[in-house]
Amino acid sequence: LNKFEKIDLTIYNKLKGKFEQIVRTHKGSRIFQNYLKSTHTDILHQIFLELKNKLPELLKDNYANYFCKKFFTSLSQKDRIEFLTMIQNDLSSLAIDFIATYPVQGIIEQLGSKAEKKIIYLGIKDSINAYCYNVYGTHILEKILSYFEEEFVKEIIDYVYKNFIDLSFHINGICIVKKLLLMTHKKSLHNNIKKIIYDNAMNLI
């Protein structure tokens, strides 16, 4: 496979039904990542149809997770939406999985439309509490705070407000607190945080 530059129709027909097996290997995942940029979207769509029901498992795989992250960015807009929809119900666990969290974070960075972001947000919104205290979950929330619009981050910010002191005392919670402190472009946010810090200065010290 190394001698090829893309997956053409001939290669696709030879490998049809074997793509999951291939991307779960170190060599297969690496080589196929290199093919994605030059492979026609019609063939990528067919590969997606073969893999879509296995995406949650593949995102947790040692090698396939790298392929999945790059695969997402190579898909058509329609397939990207379906990709996200296929993992939405598993996001609460994928986001804090010690392998899957990294491709999920990478995918969050690549989201373009509000439709894509809404799918991710709806998949994680019920886990905000758990994520704030989880070593991987805090990174997911930090990505959302960095890349999502106001309508998607308000619930996270409100939760941190209400639990500011408890989070400040927690080894993982403090990460999300610091993220809010770095959001210097939001003046109203900092005014609220200043009041919380002033009111609890001795406790925090």
Side-chain angles (χ1 to χ4, degrees):
L1 289 175
N2 277 313
K3 63 182 180 179
F4 301 107
E5 295 181 355
K6 63 181 180 179
I7 305 170
D8 60 19
L9 189 58
T10 300
I11 296 174
Y12 169 75
N13 287 331
K14 287 182 179 179
L15 299 179
K16 185 177 180 181
K18 300 177 182 178
F19 285 98
E20 179 188 356
Q21 177 185 344
I22 292 169
V23 300
R24 282 181 180 271
T25 67
H26 178 264
K27 186 176 181 180
S29 175
R30 179 176 53 81
I31 293 174
F32 273 48
Q33 287 175 62
N34 293 332
Y35 287 168
L36 291 174
K37 186 176 181 180
S38 301
T39 298
H40 195 280
T41 53
D42 289 345
I43 293 178
L44 292 177
H45 174 68
Q46 293 304 315
I47 297 172
F48 172 68
L49 293 179
E50 183 175 323
L51 297 179
K52 70 176 186 177
N53 291 321
K54 301 293 182 65
L55 287 173
E57 292 88 352
L58 293 175
L59 284 166
K60 293 187 286 186
D61 184 84
N62 282 325
Y63 303 120
N65 80 88
Y66 296 104
F67 172 81
C68 288
K69 181 174 73 172
K70 196 164 184 178
F71 188 43
F72 173 79
T73 64
S74 303
L75 294 171
S76 67
Q77 182 61 38
K78 182 180 178 181
D79 284 345
R80 282 166 62 107
I81 291 291
E82 189 168 2
F83 183 111
L84 298 173
T85 302
M86 295 303 296
I87 68 171
Q88 185 184 55
N89 291 336
D90 295 279
L91 276 172
S92 59
S93 60
L94 291 173
I96 58 174
D97 181 85
F98 73 102
I99 292 176
T101 187
Y102 297 107
V104 170
Q105 290 175 44
I107 287 170
I108 288 173
E109 292 177 354
Q110 299 299 323
L111 298 178
S113 68
K114 283 192 175 183
E116 292 178 349
K117 293 174 183 178
K118 184 176 181 180
I119 294 170
I120 291 291
Y121 176 71
L122 292 176
I124 66 94
K125 68 184 294 291
D126 293 333
S127 301
I128 292 173
N129 173 44
Y131 288 177
C132 279
Y133 296 94
N134 181 273
V135 63
Y136 303 120
T138 56
H139 291 298
I140 295 293
L141 295 181
E142 286 177 27
K143 296 292 184 186
I144 291 174
L145 288 171
S146 296
Y147 292 96
F148 283 30
E149 289 83 2
E150 183 78 25
E151 63 196 87
F152 299 118
V153 303
K154 186 179 184 303
E155 194 168 352
I156 299 172
I157 293 173
D158 288 345
Y159 180 86
V160 177
Y161 279 162
K162 294 175 183 177
N163 300 275
F164 190 90
I165 303 304
D166 286 342
L167 290 170
S168 297
F169 290 165
H170 192 275
I171 190 171
N172 296 318
I174 190 63
C175 296
I176 203 68
V177 168
K178 288 193 288 186
K179 178 61 181 179
L180 258 66
L181 292 174
L182 291 172
M183 295 173 69
T184 54
H185 59 290
K186 294 183 178 295
K187 187 173 181 180
S188 60
L189 173 63
H190 275 265
N191 288 335
N192 289 332
I193 290 177
K194 283 178 183 178
K195 185 177 188 311
I196 294 173
I197 293 175
Y198 290 157
D199 291 346
N200 297 273
M202 291 306 296
N203 195 19
L204 289 168
I205 291 171

